[in-house]
Amino acid sequence: MERRDLLKLIATATGTALVGGKAFAYDIVAPVPLMETGFSKEDVALINEMAEVIIPQTDTPGAKAANVGTVIPVIVADCYTPKLQKAFKEGMKTINARSHATFQKDFLLLSSTQRETLFSTLDTEAKAANLAEGISNGIPTAKPSQWEPGNEGPIPHYFTLLKQLTLYTFFTSKVGSTKVLRYVAIPGYYNGELPYKKGDKAWAT
């Protein structure tokens, strides 16, 4: 999938341009120890479970199979401003609090149906909140948002941040690229007129 297509997908799905676009500058980097991200193993497990609600396993792998919970903390630590980092971390706690308020259980103890109900509500609330803040109006879909240190402008709803990071980390993972999208490591030649059949997967490369 081309970078621009991925940005459009994320913007369309969340109503807001990708936050933390510096992640696109990643090349091959050494693994970042989890302790350096400010997240714990429990946070990674929780993020994986939350992301699986956004991209569930069907006849193709879901977000948990791609282990997006190990990558999202790195992007939050590396590419988010302190203000965005705080919003994301507090948002995770808020999701658990909302789970308790609605179902009297921790998020991890919810059934699949309860998780989907909670996230559907949060998604609706996030879109309304972003629209009220003027974040969703006229978004450029082909480039990421530029949230720099010192930016005091409104930031997207925490659920939007979680959803964006899930989509980005999944579709740039090996699992997402090779098991969900179509992938050819070495195409060999350019063919600009491939036949398309309805239902074909998008290309990763």
Side-chain angles (χ1 to χ4, degrees):
M1 181 179 286
E2 294 290 334
R3 171 181 179 272
R4 180 170 296 186
D5 292 335
L6 178 57
L7 286 170
K8 286 181 178 177
L9 181 152
I10 291 172
T12 301
T14 65
T16 305
L18 175 68
V19 177
K22 291 179 181 176
F24 277 113
Y26 279 151
D27 197 343
I28 298 175
V29 297
V32 177
L34 183 62
M35 62 182 297
E36 293 182 11
T37 66
F39 289 83
S40 66
K41 291 182 179 177
E42 291 74 20
D43 292 331
V44 169
L46 180 59
I47 293 171
N48 266 330
E49 293 296 329
M50 291 179 175
E52 184 72 12
V53 182
I54 296 169
I55 304 180
Q57 179 175 343
T58 55
D59 58 334
T60 56
K64 197 159 58 173
N67 203 11
V68 299
T70 61
V71 181
I72 288 176
V74 175
I75 294 179
V76 171
D78 279 359
C79 304
Y80 272 18
T81 64
K83 189 176 180 180
L84 286 164
Q85 291 173 3
K86 182 180 178 185
F88 181 82
K89 290 179 178 178
E90 290 183 351
M92 289 180 58
K93 294 177 183 175
T94 302
I95 291 174
N96 226 10
R98 289 288 297 270
S99 174
H100 266 281
T102 307
F103 299 108
Q104 294 76 53
K105 296 178 185 174
D106 282 346
F107 179 84
L108 291 175
L109 298 178
L110 297 183
S111 68
S112 296
T113 302
Q114 290 171 328
R115 291 181 180 188
E116 291 169 8
T117 300
L118 176 60
F119 272 25
S120 178
T121 301
L122 290 176
D123 194 38
T124 301
E125 291 178 3
K127 288 175 181 172
N130 293 337
L131 190 61
E133 293 284 0
I135 296 172
S136 297
N137 292 330
I139 54 172
T141 58
K143 62 180 182 180
S145 290
Q146 297 299 316
W147 296 91
E148 302 295 343
N151 184 340
E152 296 303 321
I155 60 175
H157 190 277
Y158 60 86
F159 185 76
T160 301
L161 299 178
L162 173 63
K163 194 172 177 180
Q164 289 191 342
L165 288 169
T166 298
L167 293 170
Y168 175 78
T169 54
F170 181 75
F171 285 109
T172 55
S173 72
K174 182 178 180 180
V175 169
S177 297
T178 60
K179 304 296 183 184
V180 177
L181 303 174
R182 292 185 288 179
Y183 178 81
V184 178
I186 305 175
Y189 67 98
Y190 174 75
N191 184 346
E193 198 173 359
L194 278 173
Y196 171 77
K197 293 183 294 183
K198 187 175 182 180
D200 278 353
K201 297 175 182 177
W203 286 97
T205 55

